[in-house]
Amino acid sequence: MRLGVAGLGTVAQGLFVLLSENADRVARQLGQPISVARVASRTPRSHIDTLGAEFSTELNSLLQDDVDIVVELIGGTDDANRLISRAIELGKPVVTANKAVLSQFGNSYISRARESHVPLGFEASVAGGIPIVAVLKDGLAGNSIDSITGILNGTCNFVLTQMDAHDSTFESALRQAQDLGFAESDPSFDIDGIDAAQKLSILGSIAFDQPIDLANIYIEGITNIQLDDLHYARELGYRIKHIAVARVFDSSVEMRVHPALVSDKDLMSRIDGVDNAISVAANGVGSLLLKGPGAGSRPTASAVLSDIIEIAKGKSSLPTNTTSTRRASPICDLTSSYYLYVPVSDEPGVMATLAEVLGNHRISMESVIQKSDAIQQTGNVRWVPVVLLTDEVRESVLDETIRDLQELSAVHGDIRRVRVVNLN
Ligand code: HSE
């Protein structure tokens, strides 16, 4: 089995290392060795051991007859799309780790691959080393899936964990994630939630038989989360995580990625660092939780290699047809509890005013924190954060409530809101 590998980055290097370290075991499973016939990359990097492959700067070189499987590890969309499309056209099996290209063109790849019986593997596109694509597509094939809830971006999880555990600034935690090779080349894809949304669009499609469509997903990143929020959340019995949720109701599907308070009693709250975790609720199995490294060279290469082996065994399967016609439920229809951080002047009667506004919108409070040692002075204004945890309320009502609160003369500065995700 001869591979043509596009790219010489972190994941490709991990693949060469695993192919070499695990060569005997892989060959025993397949009854034949896997070799790397060709490598193509825009930039030659002669220090990387490509296991004897022929090198070219031309991606098209991977479409020659001596390549049995095209392994796309270049990232980005334009070149990757051209390579994958052409390979499928030529009937060459493709393995890709590229969620960006899949979230844009995945529907057409899957339907073309199905029509022409071309294997297409994309395990590595979601959650690094966690084999969640195989779990949803094959392991849970006999279930109807109700929901997927997870931490799908290692960089966001790493940044929030560093801030929470070490009081690091957002910037220094992000720099560390970049230095460790977890972040995307443009880290705004991570911290603005795009990467997690691309992954959720792929999982949602496999789980709910719907087309991959990023436009169906509400996307919010972690840049508004402050150290204070992490501390207050802890006091309330929660951690803040960047969470992806996909749930189906009879006729609609709810898909969203955003920071969220997760109860510290839930295992998901203890998934730290670059790890990802995915909880699946399904009607046969009940609920299960998978946890593991969501990024990094060897974990992602492990997922790439699993696809290669499935294809080499002739066992690779595609997701079922995208037949669902469920409508996407907008975020304003969400019902959730909320954490609110309200900076108010330190004066008698302010708490009553806040309670009145919440009461006017029929929102009950579950907890309130206001600490005298948190009083701050900005210019000649003495202010203090009031932190509230609300009962469940519709998001559109909360939006109106925040607008009303923000207009109060006692409120100094922006109110922050974080949704609560309840995993039970
Ligand atoms: N940048 C991604 C993350 C890794 O931080 O999870 C690959 O998907």
Side-chain angles (χ1 to χ4, degrees):
M1 188 55 58
R2 298 158 304 178
L3 309 181
V5 178
L8 278 174
T10 319
V11 181
Q13 292 177 45
L15 177 63
F16 301 139
V17 170
L18 285 191
L19 278 171
S20 151
E21 282 181 12
N22 301 337
D24 289 348
R25 177 151 200 267
V26 170
R28 270 201 311 278
Q29 288 184 69
L30 295 179
Q32 60 169 320
I34 293 181
S35 63
V36 186
R38 292 181 178 274
V39 168
S41 162
R42 261 154 282 169
T43 332
R45 297 167 83 179
S46 53
H47 65 282
I48 296 170
D49 178 4
T50 58
L51 312 179
E54 183 102 4
F55 179 81
S56 168
T57 51
E58 275 301 315
L59 288 178
N60 278 339
S61 65
L62 305 178
L63 300 170
Q64 298 188 32
D65 288 344
D66 59 0
V67 167
D68 300 310
I69 303 177
V70 173
V71 184
E72 184 278 305
L73 305 174
I74 47 176
T77 46
D78 294 347
D79 289 347
N81 177 40
R82 268 192 292 278
L83 178 64
I84 295 172
S85 299
R86 191 77 189 109
I88 295 174
E89 240 169 69
L90 294 172
K92 266 194 203 302
V94 176
V95 172
T96 177
N98 189 332
K99 65 246 136 185
V101 86
L102 285 166
S103 69
Q104 214 173 324
F105 305 107
N107 296 320
S108 115
Y109 297 160
I110 292 169
S111 66
R112 281 188 279 155
R114 185 176 290 113
E115 276 162 25
S116 2
H117 306 284
V118 180
L120 168 69
F122 49 90
E123 184 63 74
S125 65
V126 183
I130 304 176
I132 184 64
V133 171
V135 165
L136 291 175
K137 190 164 52 76
D138 304 320
L140 298 180
N143 286 250
S144 164
I145 294 169
D146 302 317
S147 69
I148 299 170
T149 310
I151 295 173
L152 295 183
N153 185 266
T155 300
C156 284
N157 205 39
F158 181 86
V159 168
L160 292 173
T161 304
Q162 288 297 108
M163 289 172 71
D164 197 17
H166 308 292
D167 276 357
S168 299
T169 62
F170 178 86
E171 289 75 18
S172 84
L174 177 59
R175 218 171 308 117
Q176 249 182 303
Q178 288 175 294
D179 291 346
L180 291 166
F182 306 145
E184 297 299 303
S185 44
D186 176 353
S188 67
F189 270 57
D190 295 297
I191 58 174
D192 291 339
I194 313 291
D195 176 83
Q198 288 172 338
K199 292 167 179 166
L200 188 68
S201 72
I202 296 167
L203 294 185
S205 163
I206 304 169
F208 307 132
D209 306 333
Q210 61 182 32
I212 298 171
D213 189 356
L214 214 50
N216 284 344
I217 302 182
Y218 171 79
I219 307 174
E220 195 181 302
I222 58 167
T223 49
N224 287 330
I225 300 294
Q226 312 271 321
L227 272 177
D228 257 6
D229 300 320
L230 294 159
H231 296 156
Y232 281 115
R234 261 182 191 267
E235 276 189 46
L236 292 162
Y238 293 85
R239 300 280 191 283
I240 298 183
K241 295 288 177 190
H242 189 252
I243 296 285
V245 182
R247 290 198 290 180
V248 282
F249 304 97
D250 293 341
S251 59
S252 64
V253 56
E254 174 191 299
M255 296 181 81
R256 50 193 167 103
V257 302
H258 52 73
L261 269 69
V262 178
S263 165
D264 60 15
K265 295 189 184 61
D266 203 299
L267 274 176
M268 189 72 77
S269 72
R270 275 168 261 156
I271 307 300
D272 287 334
V274 71
D275 275 353
N276 283 192
I278 302 158
S279 159
V280 183
N283 69 349
V285 74
S287 90
L288 51 86
L289 177 74
L290 291 100
K291 173 235 178 213
S297 176
R298 293 169 71 103
T300 313
S302 150
V304 170
L305 191 47
S306 78
D307 277 340
I308 294 170
I309 292 171
E310 285 300 282
I311 292 173
K313 284 180 179 166
K315 285 192 173 168
S316 173
S317 64
L318 287 164
T320 41
N321 274 313
T322 52
T323 49
S324 164
T325 51
R326 290 189 188 97
R327 74 177 178 90
S329 173
I331 194 72
C332 58
D333 284 353
L334 175 71
T335 298
S336 171
S337 296
Y338 292 84
Y339 159 103
L340 294 180
Y341 175 103
V342 190
V344 296
S345 41
D346 179 35
E347 284 164 13
V350 169
M351 196 67 94
T353 314
L354 297 185
E356 191 187 337
V357 173
L358 291 166
N360 289 344
H361 291 277
R362 311 210 56 72
I363 298 177
S364 335
M365 286 183 266
E366 203 177 280
S367 314
V368 181
I369 303 178
Q370 195 237 284
K371 299 200 273 185
S372 50
D373 64 0
I375 295 174
Q376 303 182 42
Q377 183 93 26
T378 308
N380 53 7
V381 179
R382 261 167 71 85
W383 65 274
V384 67
V386 169
V387 168
L388 309 168
L389 202 57
T390 74
D391 272 349
E392 289 209 330
V393 52
R394 202 181 160 93
E395 177 128 345
S396 53
V397 173
L398 190 87
D399 288 341
E400 286 166 22
T401 311
I402 291 179
R403 268 197 297 275
D404 288 355
L405 288 171
Q406 199 71 68
E407 278 171 13
L408 295 174
S409 59
V411 172
H412 297 279
D414 289 340
I415 296 170
R416 296 199 293 273
R417 150 244 311 255
V418 186
R419 299 170 188 89
V420 177
V421 164
N422 188 347
L423 279 120
N424 299 311

